[in-house]
Amino acid sequence: MADSVVLDPVDLHLLRLLQNDARTTYRDLAAQVGVAPSTCLDRVTRLRRSGVILGNRLRLDPAKLGRGLQALLSVQVRPHRRELVGPFVERIRELPEARTVFHLTGPDDYLVHVAVADMADLQRLVLDEFTARREVARVETRLIFQQWECGPLLPPGHAQS
């Protein structure tokens, strides 16, 4: 793949550690990986510049913010043309309930992860923000009972540890 970056075992170890806790200090990272703190800083800086590390995000508990119901909305847009889908995606990204938007292949064009207060809030969101749009042909809703985080993302062929 042309966009991939060559990573050595030290880089992979740093990425594993940072994905588990992005607030880990360079001194602590260096000690765990077995390199000098300046080397650690240089490597993380290189990983950021090369685009391997995209940023640091704060994860929040939706339920503690009054959004205890999460759902996945499968959305079909018709006609599926660039002049319609661009504004559609931008509008969805502006919604405070929207967590993630995926553009898909197959019968559904988009999968939208949303977090809402309750079932009435979900109904309002679907009716007022999705099905009310002329380009939206169909919305199918799936409630999320529970979700789990998975292990760190590594290049193919590298074992998780």
Side-chain angles (χ1 to χ4, degrees):
M1 173 180 259
D3 290 0
S4 65
V5 175
V6 177
L7 303 170
D8 67 18
V10 173
D11 293 330
L12 293 170
H13 196 177
L14 286 169
L15 291 173
R16 279 187 197 98
L17 294 169
L18 287 170
Q19 285 183 80
N20 289 329
D21 184 359
R23 297 175 304 167
T24 307
T25 66
Y26 288 116
R27 184 175 63 221
D28 290 343
L29 284 172
Q32 292 180 63
V33 175
V35 298
S38 60
T39 301
C40 182
L41 174 61
D42 290 345
R43 283 177 173 264
V44 172
T45 300
R46 180 180 51 78
L47 290 167
R48 286 182 192 283
R49 282 193 190 130
S50 66
V52 173
I53 296 176
L54 298 176
N56 302 318
R57 291 208 167 105
L58 182 66
R59 289 182 41 229
L60 303 174
D61 183 340
K64 294 204 165 109
L65 296 173
R67 296 182 182 276
L69 182 65
Q70 294 185 65
L72 296 173
L73 307 179
S74 299
V75 182
Q76 197 175 71
V77 175
R78 294 293 176 256
H80 194 160
R81 293 194 323 252
R82 188 175 303 277
E83 62 269 14
L84 292 177
V85 299
F88 170 77
V89 169
E90 287 312 308
R91 174 62 189 138
I92 299 312
R93 291 184 68 210
E94 292 170 357
L95 296 173
E97 299 88 353
R99 307 308 313 132
T100 310
V101 181
F102 298 95
H103 192 189
L104 309 171
T105 63
D108 297 316
D109 300 311
Y110 294 93
L111 184 64
V112 184
H113 176 199
V114 299
V116 296
D118 53 30
M119 198 63 84
D121 195 26
L122 179 59
Q123 181 182 25
R124 175 207 52 81
L125 179 69
V126 170
L127 293 175
D128 295 349
E129 298 295 344
F130 286 86
T131 60
R133 297 184 64 92
R134 274 185 270 150
E135 70 272 24
V136 173
R138 183 178 65 79
V139 175
E140 191 172 302
T141 304
R142 291 174 180 85
L143 297 180
I144 298 173
F145 291 137
Q146 196 170 1
Q147 70 185 62
W148 295 267
E149 294 291 325
C150 297
L153 180 64
L154 298 173
H158 292 83
Q160 304 282 342
S161 61

